[in-house]
Amino acid sequence: ATRTKSVDVERADSGIGQMPARKWRNRASETLSSLQAWEAHRPCTDCGERDLPVETDVQNCNQRRADLCEKCRKRRTERKESVLEFVNTEASYGEDLRIIKEEFYLPMQAAGLLSQEQLQGIFSNIQELIDLNENFLEILQEEIDQAFDQGDDDLMTVCIGEIFLEFVNMLPAFQTYCLQQSSSVNMLNALEKEKELLRIFLDVSQNDNTALRRMNLRSFLMAPLQRVTKYPLLLSRIIKATTEYHPDHGSLREAKSRIESHLEHINMKTKQEGNTWTLRSFRQDSKKKREVINIEMRETALKTVGWLREETRFVMEGSLQLAQPPDGQWVKKGSKTLKFQNMQVLLLVNMKRVSESSLESAEPGPVKDAVLVLIRDKNNGKFHLLREPLRLSNCIVSTDPDCDDTFELIEIRREAFVFRDSDRARTHHWFRQIRRYSRELGSWKKRRNALPNIMISTPHTRP
């Protein structure tokens, strides 16, 4: 009887009372609510923050841009507007260049109003600027069209900084034009006073030619100067609207730094030539000053070797210590016995152009020539070459394990030089780069692995 009674009172549930069960149901409900709230507040894909507004309306939730907070949605919109402004203003600048050529240069040439020399003096390298603008604008427009075709309505895949750096060779072309601007305007003023037909042509063009928007020739000739000074402002706006995690962020900053350095260099050259006008000035820091010096050295090197700018690649540049040993016994005596002097060294390579496209031509092509340009430290605002460039096709580069902080470059039948950097790893990098091009050039050296006779059997030579 006792067992039967105990069976009657045995619980058939899990043993959890009504109150605990309600608590578990409440917790499950809270968990579900938390998951829904997390879904509504999932991290922003651009910045990682969770400040997305709660969407109660399912339709509104589907319509909002997925996984973006309000701040990043606004930033993307600003970036898109900045990118389109960059491309559209580049197109407008190209139209002004076309007007200079088609509405002024060609009619004046066809009518014989000015000689070819006078036209060259006024219009400078306008054709070079036109070609650069057309190529630059074509690549920019292709990137925009491709982004839209792929469904990238925010143009996040368009990398203006990378494209700008691929066309960095247009900056020296702007420099050539800017430095001649003062003399061009003076020549135009003098010719307009001297030649009545020229003055009539310019007046009629300004008043009757609707394509000119009632602007005179001088206003159009200022277009390249205005454009080159606007690049830093346009790039700054894109940088401000581009998150630091974007793949183009670093290239945008480098592009802005490069153009600012070139503007400072143009101003420096303008003062040296005695002109009073200057371009828009930008804040100078140590990095920009260093880049201005590098630009000056590159120009000096290009002028010395006489190569075309588009076929020249600057592989390495920087400060090295140089010594000229009196005999070949310096290794036994040690590099401390040598007298080193600081020198600016540039390694230039002359490459054959792979394609007419400016982007494709950046790919390495066959090496035609390679030189080392040795420049003394800057003195009185000018650079001085130590000697004529060292052609690596006539040089042998070697090192010795007993002096691994230096390397030796021997110019066949002439001189020997010992180089070193304050940083040993960078010394080795210089050695490898110079030896690479030295071995590529000069088929006679391949028979003995580009080593001097005395070192053919040396087992310790660095591979």
Side-chain angles (χ1 to χ4, degrees), residues 52-63:
L52 285 81
V54 178
E55 297 285 354
T56 55
D57 189 345
V58 177
Q59 184 177 2
N60 292 337
C61 184
N62 292 333
Q63 288 179 350

Side-chain angles (χ1 to χ4, degrees), residues 306-319:
W307 295 347
L308 295 176
R309 184 186 300 115
E310 58 270 19
E311 294 183 356
T312 304
R313 187 157 64 94
F314 292 88
V315 180
M316 288 191 71
E317 57 187 27
S319 178

Side-chain angles (χ1 to χ4, degrees), residues 390-413:
L390 290 166
R391 299 199 173 273
L392 298 187
S393 58
N394 298 327
C395 295
I396 297 169
V397 187
S398 58
T399 188
D400 191 281
D402 295 332
C403 297
D404 63 347
D405 62 337
T406 61
F407 64 90
E408 186 174 20
L409 185 145
I410 301 175
E411 190 178 17
I412 302 301
R413 299 179 181 177

Side-chain angles (χ1 to χ4, degrees), residues 76 290 380:
R76 283 198 176 193
R290 178 71 254 175
N380 296 329

